[in-house]
């Protein structure tokens, strides 16, 4: 039996902004993140984990800021375009 592969879902700029906002809200709980924050564009736990790994490599400061709940500095997501 072969496993059906899903087509890759590319992340849009608004999807990336949603990812960072949900990361700040849920932390690294990708299961909760997929269930609550991505209702309009469903993402699996595996897709969110892969996105986290990619963003951690490309934008480590943004990831650090999103996960640091004590930081009073607002998360600057203008890199990904207007809201």
């Amino acid at each position: 039996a072969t496993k059906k592969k899903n087509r890759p879902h590319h992340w849009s700029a608004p999807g990336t902004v949603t990812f960072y906002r949900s990361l700040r809200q849920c932390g690294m709980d990708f299961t909760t993140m997929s269930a609550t924050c991505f209702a309009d564009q469903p993402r699996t736990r595996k897709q969110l984990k892969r996105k986290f790994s990619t963003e951690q490599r490309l934008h480590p400061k943004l990831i650090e800021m999103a996960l640091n709940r004590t930081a009073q500095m607002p998360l600057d997501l203008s890199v990904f375009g207007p809201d």
Side-chain angles (χ1 to χ4, degrees):
T2 59
K3 187 176 178 181
K4 182 181 173 186
K5 288 190 175 188
N6 293 333
R7 284 186 15 224
H9 294 273
H10 298 285
W11 287 82
S12 64
T16 300
V17 170
T18 302
F19 170 78
Y20 274 102
R21 289 193 175 131
S22 60
L23 184 64
R24 178 165 252 182
Q25 183 178 353
C26 301
M28 290 179 58
D29 186 355
F30 301 114
T31 304
T32 300
M33 195 185 296
S34 69
T36 59
C37 301
F38 288 91
D40 55 333
Q41 43 180 220
R43 297 287 185 172
T44 64
R45 182 194 181 285
K46 188 174 183 177
Q47 288 172 323
L48 292 169
K49 175 65 176 143
R50 186 175 295 132
K51 177 67 171 172
F52 176 81
S53 297
T54 302
E55 290 297 318
Q56 194 170 31
R57 188 176 67 251
L58 297 175
H59 306 283
K61 290 286 187 194
L62 281 176
I63 292 290
E64 183 181 331
M65 287 169 49
L67 292 175
N68 187 356
R69 294 179 190 267
T70 60
Q72 296 300 316
M73 191 165 40
L75 194 57
D76 179 19
L77 299 174
S78 64
V79 176
F80 304 107
D83 247 352

